[in-house]
Amino acid sequence: MSQTPSGGKAYAAFHRRSIEDREGFWTEQAALIDWHKPFEQVLQYDNPPFTRWFVGGQTNLCHNAVDRHLAALGDQPALIWVSTEVDQEKVYTFRQLHEETMRMAAILQAQGVQRGDRVLIYMPMIAEAAFAMLACARIGAIHSVVFGGFASHSLASRIDDAQPKVIISADAGARVGKTIPYKPLLDEAIRLAAHKPGKVLLVDRGLAAMERVPGRDLDYAAERARHLQAQVPVTWLESNEISYTLYTSGTTGKPKGVQRDVGGYAVALAASMKHIFCGNPGETYFSSSDIGWVVGHSYIIYGPLIAGMATIMYEGTPVRPDAGILWQLVERYKVTVMFSAPTAIRVLKKQDPSYLTRYDLSTLRALFLAGEPLDEPTSEWISKGLGKPIIDNYWQTETGWPILTIAAGVEPMATRLGSPGVPMYGYDVRLLHEATGEELGSNEKGVVAIVPPLPPGCMQTVWGDDTRFVKTYFESVPGKLVYSTFDWGVRDQDGYYFILGRTDDVINVAGHRLGTREIEESISSHAAVAEVAVVGVADQLKGQVAMAFAVLKDPAQISDPQARLKLEGEVMGVVDKQLGAVARPARVHFVNALPKTRSGKVLRRSIQAVCEGRDPGDLTTIEDPVTLEQLRQVVKG
Ligand code: AMP
């Protein structure tokens, strides 16, 4: 029996059908996109948990996002690029986006990129990044976008895993008015990586000087000029071919390449634009995320464009030139649907609230927030301030589109403070007991799990590692083949879910998912450090921040406060250099020993509790209680 939400009766029936008649339901949704060749089988599930959707069908993401709108919307805006960092704006119509994408596709083809080859995109939020993603999709190359905030070490491990033929990058990004050169980080990453890309295509924004490697580095403007008239037809792909990989952090130091298909993803996004986001062709969608994250893939690039909407690609922060910038853009481009993260709203909350009412927001129908828990005060503040519905949505890089939210396009059910909502169609969500796997009822805390087959749009596997896919996601609940989200949750009597935090060592800093293990590995590489534990600690602004506790090889090294401060700065510098500032811990505390169990396991949960001023829980297995006491003193400062 599937757990369908009560509340809206019509939605409950819609959800039930999506589980009980998967084939009928998804056949209908599949009609929302163009197929070059119809599929022969809706769902192939003979090798659980691997799921193949729309088998035998041929389609293309770029065709659905761009080409198919040319007839009706050719001269309408498609991509609206706004940068408050360099004070520029540029609007590309669907026709112009089509041309730019074909030029980029021709450049890639000229470098020998073929169907199935990987192209790594390490770029700031510039229009060329969108052209690059769409060009890959057009010719069947697999793109792997790496967030521009990641530094050399993170980038190198992704280069080695994806093995790209070509890397596309730029001279620099800009953040809060400061130029951030990308090219030196990229060069260092390529030096560190075992795999060497054949070519590196560089967009020169004129922000930072670049040293070019002869024979390897190509200039985008020069290459584009050569391919101005390019006509590159769409490569029709079988629905289950790979569209992209996107790396995400887990509990090990090695990030996972979340691998996505073509047809299932296109259908899932088209359906979500209709049922969840309620966006219409010709309107404008604004997501303030970054293309380096899954929200950027699904709801800056592919989702809105597939729906025939213009999409705003924004390089900037929510407070520059002032805290009204997001709303100013809503007014200027008549945004109807907006997507942001709770962190951005918490940043705005510290500013003059009158910014929320200075602009004409009459076109805006709803603000969607995702990526991290939406706390009630923030939700209430923004909802009152804007006078618009605020819709929380819960999902993951792995799922590609919301697991829990409200599908107002099916039935406008009420939202509930603190809850992202109810299970979306296609997701058979359950709450399971962590240790026994037993199914739990209302108001009982358990692991949020999804009974497979996962719906279209979700990850197919971990790139290059089917075993890891099954082991990581489907074998964590005893005795059951279910997908674990690794989130704790609880469901109220009406079927609304509440997310209560991660069950693993993944932390969420300002909506960015980070593995504490990766940060620990980076800190350990500092010569002075013997051992380290990193935990996520609650933070008013960012949701969570990373806090590090390091044991030094020679504690005498920090006998005076100045030496301590200097070493802390040095350790942070190592993280900045290897992983990027996004992973930098808020503090690095030095302790004599880490609290551990008698079997040698670091008691991360207890450390976290102490940092947050909570009860550290069951300490019967602790080897030396003094270690936790010392940690408490250090945190108190
Ligand atoms: P990511 O894959 O980076 O999008 O991170 C996914 C994780 O972020 C989830 O497993 C949750 O822990 C958290 N998350 C995302 N959206 C929400 C939300 N609306 N409410 C609570 N937690 C969320």
Side-chain angles (χ1 to χ4, degrees):
M1 191 197 74
S2 67
Q3 293 291 332
T4 46
S6 59
K9 267 204 185 125
Y11 181 72
F14 190 80
H15 182 267
R16 197 174 317 112
R17 174 157 180 252
S18 76
I19 304 298
E20 290 171 1
D21 174 20
R22 285 197 164 88
E23 310 223 332
F25 181 88
W26 287 108
T27 300
E28 275 169 31
Q29 305 306 318
L32 293 168
I33 68 157
D34 272 5
W35 293 90
H36 178 65
K37 179 172 172 277
F39 45 89
E40 290 143 23
Q41 194 181 353
V42 183
L43 167 65
Q44 190 184 346
Y45 192 58
D46 51 12
N47 180 26
F50 297 94
T51 308
R52 290 164 61 81
W53 286 99
F54 310 116
V55 182
Q58 288 182 358
T59 185
N60 182 287
L61 276 170
C62 182
H63 166 84
N64 277 287
V66 183
D67 300 47
R68 81 165 167 150
H69 303 304
L70 289 174
L73 300 166
D75 297 321
Q76 299 277 320
L79 182 69
I80 300 167
W81 176 68
V82 179
S83 173
T84 48
E85 295 292 348
V86 295
D87 280 329
Q88 286 174 24
E89 291 194 20
K90 189 155 184 193
V91 178
Y92 298 85
T93 63
F94 275 97
R95 200 172 318 286
Q96 288 166 330
L97 183 59
H98 183 236
E99 284 164 4
E100 294 295 353
T101 300
M102 290 200 294
R103 288 168 188 151
M104 184 68 91
I107 297 172
L108 292 175
Q109 284 182 331
Q111 300 312 319
V113 174
Q114 294 175 2
R115 182 176 190 160
D117 286 340
R118 273 80 58 213
V119 173
L120 190 139
I121 299 172
Y122 180 61
M123 294 178 94
M125 286 288 284
I126 54 178
E128 288 81 359
F131 307 157
M133 291 168 74
L134 291 164
C136 289
R138 187 168 193 85
I139 62 175
I142 299 166
H143 62 65
S144 191
V145 182
V146 177
F147 175 56
F150 285 129
S152 311
H153 185 84
S154 306
L155 183 54
S157 67
R158 286 154 173 83
I159 292 173
D160 274 336
D161 196 67
Q163 311 235 322
K165 200 171 222 175
V166 170
I167 295 181
I168 310 180
S169 190
D171 57 341
R175 190 157 172 82
V176 203
K178 224 178 97 198
T179 298
I180 301 164
Y182 278 36
K183 181 64 170 33
L185 297 178
L186 175 61
D187 284 342
E188 172 65 5
I190 296 175
R191 194 187 65 74
L192 290 172
H195 172 85
K196 309 292 175 198
K199 293 281 189 247
V200 174
L201 180 65
L202 293 157
V203 177
D204 188 353
R205 308 176 71 189
L207 294 180
M210 279 192 280
E211 269 183 40
R212 294 175 200 262
V213 177
R216 188 197 73 183
D217 294 356
L218 302 168
D219 179 63
Y220 171 71
E223 294 301 315
R224 179 179 174 276
R226 264 188 236 222
H227 296 282
L228 271 187
Q229 306 305 327
Q231 292 294 320
V232 179
V234 155
T235 300
W236 297 110
L237 303 169
E238 199 277 335
S239 177
N240 292 278
E241 285 185 57
I242 307 165
S243 59
Y244 70 75
T245 63
L246 179 60
Y247 289 87
T248 189
S249 302
T251 47
T252 68
K254 189 174 180 279
K256 295 180 285 271
V258 167
Q259 178 185 314
R260 207 147 259 135
D261 68 358
V262 175
Y265 188 49
V267 171
L269 293 183
S272 71
M273 292 304 298
K274 178 176 176 198
H275 305 307
I276 300 171
F277 298 101
C278 307
N280 303 307
E283 296 178 351
T284 305
Y285 194 99
F286 178 19
S287 164
S288 67
S289 183
D290 187 286
I291 47 147
W293 309 115
V294 69
V295 177
H297 285 61
S298 294
Y299 299 114
I300 294 177
I301 306 296
Y302 294 115
L305 292 175
I306 286 174
M309 298 179 81
T311 183
I312 296 182
M313 194 171 175
Y314 175 58
E315 180 182 52
T317 71
V319 288
R320 259 176 50 104
D322 62 44
I325 181 65
L326 300 183
W327 321 116
Q328 190 188 327
L329 291 174
V330 169
E331 177 184 278
R332 184 147 19 117
Y333 291 108
K334 301 189 169 35
V335 171
T336 57
V337 186
M338 187 164 168
F339 194 131
S340 192
T343 300
I345 307 303
R346 287 195 292 264
V347 167
L348 294 181
K349 225 163 96 182
K350 293 179 140 188
Q351 311 281 329
D352 180 354
S354 74
Y355 280 115
L356 299 180
T357 49
R358 279 188 206 176
Y359 298 94
D360 176 6
L361 306 183
S362 56
T363 54
L364 187 67
R365 289 193 293 266
L367 170 64
F368 292 83
L369 296 174
E372 55 181 311
L374 173 60
D375 54 287
E376 295 183 23
T378 302
S379 177
E380 277 185 310
W381 180 82
I382 190 70
S383 149
K384 277 208 190 95
L386 293 179
K388 303 283 177 183
I390 306 302
I391 304 181
D392 187 3
N393 57 127
Y394 160 83
W395 48 295
Q396 308 180 303
T397 307
E398 288 84 347
T399 66
W401 61 284
I403 304 168
L404 301 172
T405 186
I406 298 295
V410 180
E411 187 182 7
M413 288 165 60
T415 55
R416 209 159 272 194
L417 268 186
S419 162
V422 299
M424 282 301 95
Y425 50 89
Y427 289 103
D428 188 357
V429 181
R430 313 283 174 107
L431 283 172
L432 303 179
H433 189 282
E434 186 196 23
T436 64
E438 176 201 350
E439 194 164 340
L440 303 172
S442 303
N443 303 315
E444 287 183 295
K445 176 178 166 180
V447 179
V448 179
I450 304 164
V451 178
L454 296 177
C458 292
M459 75 188 290
Q460 294 178 293
T461 185
V462 172
W463 165 257
D465 201 343
D466 286 349
T467 310
R468 191 172 176 199
F469 172 63
V470 179
K471 251 184 111 121
T472 306
Y473 295 104
F474 290 90
E475 289 183 355
S476 71
V477 178
K480 278 192 179 157
L481 187 82
V482 290
Y483 172 88
S484 174
T485 61
F486 297 100
D487 281 303
W488 294 112
V490 68
R491 183 177 61 235
D492 70 12
Q493 60 290 351
D494 298 322
Y496 285 77
Y497 280 69
F498 295 78
I499 299 297
L500 307 172
R502 297 281 303 191
T503 66
D504 59 9
D505 292 329
V506 167
I507 64 173
N508 195 318
V509 179
H512 301 159
R513 174 164 154 187
L514 299 168
T516 51
R517 276 292 298 277
E518 276 175 87
I519 307 175
E520 287 174 0
E521 281 177 18
S522 176
I523 293 178
S524 299
S525 73
H526 189 289
V529 174
E531 213 184 355
V532 63
V534 172
V535 297
V537 176
D539 179 81
Q540 279 221 322
L541 194 64
K542 297 181 172 176
Q544 273 188 316
V545 290
M547 199 67 80
F549 294 89
V551 179
L552 295 176
K553 288 178 188 156
D554 174 16
Q557 208 182 337
I558 48 156
S559 42
D560 66 89
Q562 231 168 358
R564 179 180 285 263
L565 216 64
K566 183 165 168 274
L567 187 60
E568 181 173 8
E570 261 184 40
V571 171
M572 288 187 179
V574 169
V575 178
D576 277 10
K577 189 157 175 279
Q578 294 188 353
L579 305 180
V582 65
R584 183 196 306 156
R587 285 296 311 269
V588 181
H589 294 294
F590 299 108
V591 290
N592 294 335
L594 296 173
K596 288 185 185 170
T597 62
R598 275 181 221 117
S599 59
K601 241 179 138 227
V602 175
L603 285 159
R604 287 191 178 73
R605 302 252 159 99
S606 305
I607 300 178
Q608 186 187 40
V610 165
C611 292
E612 293 179 349
R614 290 185 284 109
D615 174 5
D618 179 12
L619 292 175
T620 46
T621 61
I622 193 166
E623 190 178 48
D624 181 3
V626 174
T627 52
L628 202 62
E629 195 39 49
Q630 193 214 358
L631 203 133
R632 197 191 312 270
Q633 296 307 328
V634 167
V635 171
K636 265 199 205 153

